[in-house]
Structures are given as C-alpha cells and as structure tokens.
Amino acid sequence: EVDGAGEPVGPKVAIKVLYTARDTGSFLRRLSNEAQILQELSHANIVHCLGFVQRSGQEPYLVTRFEEGGSLQQHVDRVGPLPTKVAVAIVRQVLLALDVAHQRAVVHRDLKPDNVLLDRTCTADEIPHVRVADFGIAKVHGGLTDRLTKLGSFVGTPEYAAPEQFEGLPPTPATDLFAT
C-alpha cells in the first residue's frame, strides 16, 4: 500500500493466489477455509490474516502479513544447525500456536519447517519470533473442512507426517505434536 506521495505505508503483505486451473472446487474451498481458520486463530505465533478476496472473473487470493525472515527451513539452510536454546524457544512458540489451534478443534496436518515463518532475519544464536503458517489442509473437527478430504486419504508432507496419517486415520492434536 502507498500513500498519496507514493511512499509505502502499513505492513508488507504476502498474497497467496491459486493457479487459474485450481481456482474452483476443493482448492478454492481450502483457501477460503484457511482464511476463516486464520481469522479465528488470532495469536502472536500464528500468521496474521488481513483478508480473503474472491471477485467474479479474478483469481481468489488470501492476504497475510509478510514475515521478513522467511521460513524456518530457509533460516536453517542459511545459518546451519540451531543451538539447543534457540531450537527449544522456537518449538515453544510453535506449541503455543498449536495449543490455540487445538483448543478450537483445528489440526494443522502439515507442520514442517517451511510452514514456520520468522518475523525477521537473524543469526543462528538469536531467538526469532516465529509464526505458524499454511493452514490450507488443516482439519477442523465438526467444521467446514470435514468434507474436503476423503476418509482414508493421505494429506501432508511425508517426512513430517505422523503414522496415523499414513494409515488414513482421522488427525488429532497428536498428529501435529509428532510433526513438531
């Protein structure tokens, strides 16, 4: 956003857009559900949703606050293995975010370093503020997402998936704890 003089104002934003071939059906419902989930999960360690836009003839998109530090995966690739103190602090923040989600019957189902964002770039010894992102395949028990995934189907990233995900069992908070 820019002011009358063309100077940037407000927060930087990230825009998640669906490919044209995927801007209908279950992909659109997942993006819309992600926006609703993010708005309900307002927390310092969960990415902040600024809006969801769906206009006739336009690709739908989700707007979130841009996290300057990139993903946890990018951070580790850049700085190398994290000191125990830093890793524990990051895990603590992720668990605080998951606690809020789980209290509202939301299971992320795709928790991984790529879906944990840092608010700023930092060194290996600094403790970053992190936010959990990408609730696109989250499961809301008793909610909107119950019909988006067929029973017995696998969703998530295999390297971080809990055993029950491979067995096609319903996800629980333990699914996210395993990934953490």
Side-chain angles (χ1 to χ4, degrees):
E1 182 178 358
V2 293
D3 63 16
E7 294 297 317
V9 295
K12 287 185 179 180
V13 298
I15 300 174
K16 185 175 191 176
V17 181
L18 293 176
Y19 291 111
T20 302
R22 293 184 171 185
D23 65 0
T24 60
S26 65
F27 294 104
L28 176 58
R29 285 192 302 276
R30 285 185 191 281
L31 187 65
S32 174
N33 290 339
E34 180 176 5
Q36 289 178 311
I37 289 168
L38 287 175
Q39 288 172 344
E40 291 177 19
L41 298 181
S42 179
H43 186 268
N45 296 112
I46 296 176
V47 72
H48 181 71
C49 178
L50 299 172
F52 173 71
V53 179
Q54 181 182 7
R55 294 186 180 126
S56 181
Q58 304 280 326
E59 288 88 5
Y61 59 93
L62 172 67
V63 181
T64 62
R65 186 176 304 266
F66 180 75
E67 302 299 337
E68 298 281 344
S71 73
L72 178 57
Q73 184 63 59
Q74 292 167 326
H75 177 65
V76 171
D77 289 346
R78 186 173 52 79
V79 302
L82 301 176
T84 302
K85 175 181 161 185
V86 174
V88 168
I90 290 171
V91 168
R92 180 181 181 278
Q93 292 176 71
V94 169
L95 292 175
L96 289 170
L98 291 176
D99 183 47
V100 168
H102 295 161
Q103 286 182 37
R104 290 172 178 80
V106 175
V107 178
H108 190 285
R109 292 201 295 184
D110 197 23
L111 194 61
K112 57 188 176 183
D114 285 324
N115 289 337
V116 176
L117 305 179
L118 284 66
D119 72 335
R120 62 184 171 79
T121 302
C122 58
T123 66
D125 294 328
E126 291 178 277
I127 296 173
H129 182 92
V130 301
R131 292 186 176 91
V132 175
D134 198 357
F135 284 80
I137 63 169
K139 181 75 168 177
V140 181
H141 291 283
L144 300 168
T145 64
D146 278 344
R147 294 178 303 278
L148 290 179
T149 306
K150 294 178 190 139
L151 188 59
S153 64
F154 176 84
V155 294
T157 303
E159 294 85 355
Y160 299 94
E164 62 268 21
Q165 286 176 279
F166 292 105
E167 296 172 12
L169 299 173
T172 67
T175 304
D176 289 341
L177 296 179
F178 183 92
T180 303

